[in-house]
Amino acid sequence: MKLIFAIVNSDDAAAVTQSLSKEGFSSTRMATTGGFLKMGNTTILVGVDEEKVQQVIDIIKEESQSRKVVIPTSTDIRFGGSMGAIPTQVTVGGATIFVVDVDRFEHV
Ligand code: 2BA
């Protein structure tokens, strides 16, 4: 068995979990926060047999959009910059996916 962690935009999370559910996959949504942007995102956990991993990844990819986010980047006066902020564009997602082995699964 494998455990899939998929970090997705919170706006896509409902569509991802609904599509997973329609195809018979159980999932759990967790509210998480990106370490870089410090913005909310959603981490979806899916436990599946190894042969179903690609199907789950395909569903997640299908429902996860990439987005451009503009963030202020502060300049540092010590390195020749002036005080203030330069807007910088960052592309976030579609989804960041990890697949890990599960040693044991109990559903009691
Ligand atoms: P954040 O950490 O908030 O990162 C949001 C986006 O900022 C990233 O999009 C990437 O485009 C950019 N970014 C992140 N770290 C950067 C850095 N050190 N320098 C420049 N740009 C940087 P994604 O790569 O699509 O990641 C979306 C979210 O997925 C991340 O939110 C984080 O929550 C998670 N994530 C991505 N890679 C990860 C990893 N290796 N381990 C754990 N979580 C990860």
Side-chain angles (χ1 to χ4, degrees):
M1 189 179 207
K2 300 283 185 182
L3 180 60
I4 300 169
F5 290 80
I7 303 160
V8 303
N9 190 292
S10 294
D11 290 341
D12 295 331
V16 172
T17 53
Q18 276 165 25
S19 289
L20 289 169
S21 185
K22 213 186 302 173
E23 295 299 322
F25 297 108
S26 295
S27 64
T28 296
R29 277 161 62 172
M30 300 190 298
T32 46
T33 303
F36 185 69
L37 294 180
K38 297 170 183 62
M39 285 168 52
N41 52 29
T42 298
T43 299
I44 298 170
L45 308 185
V46 192
V48 282
D49 289 333
E50 192 162 359
E51 61 269 20
K52 299 278 188 184
V53 166
Q54 191 56 51
Q55 188 185 351
V56 169
I57 289 174
D58 289 344
I59 292 169
I60 294 165
K61 278 186 186 167
E62 179 74 26
E63 300 293 352
S64 302
Q65 315 290 320
S66 71
R67 291 172 173 82
K68 295 195 187 311
V69 177
V70 177
I71 53 167
T73 311
S74 51
T75 55
D76 193 324
I77 203 162
R78 289 173 299 170
F79 302 112
S82 56
M83 297 301 275
I86 301 166
T88 305
Q89 196 175 71
V90 172
T91 302
V92 185
T96 300
I97 300 171
F98 300 88
V99 181
V100 299
D101 289 327
V102 174
D103 284 342
R104 181 168 165 168
F105 172 69
E106 301 270 354
H107 188 231
V108 293

